[in-house]
Amino acid sequence: MSERDYKMAAPLDAVPLGKTKSVTIDGRTILLCNSDGQIHAIAALCSHADEPLACGRIRLGWIACPAHGARFDLETGAPLTGPASEPIATYPVRIVDDMIEVAI
């Protein structure tokens, strides 16, 4: 088993509590989300209609798509409400020296 390849994504303070930050890592747009002080990395687009999640509301470990209201679990990417029925990608995160690193 090989070690994951983590890449620097952003300074920790660039993602305030309850907010998101969009970053591009190796050509992929990743959305960093701060839910209750825990940083998550997810796909930046809703699986329902490819709408951006960047302005979505974050609450209690989920993010809501601002276009149609679908909610996704930030840890697993699973859809919690419709109209989405497919999960979104999630990525492992670690914090090193106040920098957010994401494995893709």
Side-chain angles (χ1 to χ4, degrees):
M1 183 179 221
S2 65
E3 187 174 325
R4 293 193 164 137
D5 185 22
Y6 281 87
K7 309 275 184 162
M8 277 200 261
L12 184 57
D13 62 4
V15 190
L17 188 64
K19 301 295 183 184
T20 65
K21 177 165 182 60
S22 183
V23 297
T24 301
I25 302 171
D26 289 350
R28 289 185 202 181
T29 303
I30 308 290
L31 192 63
L32 303 174
C33 305
N34 185 337
S35 176
D36 297 321
Q38 184 168 351
I39 302 296
H40 301 273
I42 62 172
L45 297 177
C46 176
S47 63
H48 165 249
D50 287 332
E51 292 289 336
L53 293 170
C55 293
R57 183 195 319 185
I58 297 175
R59 298 280 188 276
L60 305 171
W62 52 259
I63 188 168
C65 177
H68 300 109
R71 293 181 184 174
F72 297 92
D73 184 285
L74 289 170
E75 281 210 30
T76 67
L80 301 174
T81 62
S85 59
E86 296 295 319
I88 57 173
T90 60
Y91 303 92
V93 172
R94 70 182 183 191
I95 309 299
V96 177
D97 298 328
D98 289 329
M99 286 295 295
I100 301 167
E101 295 184 352
V102 177
I104 57 171

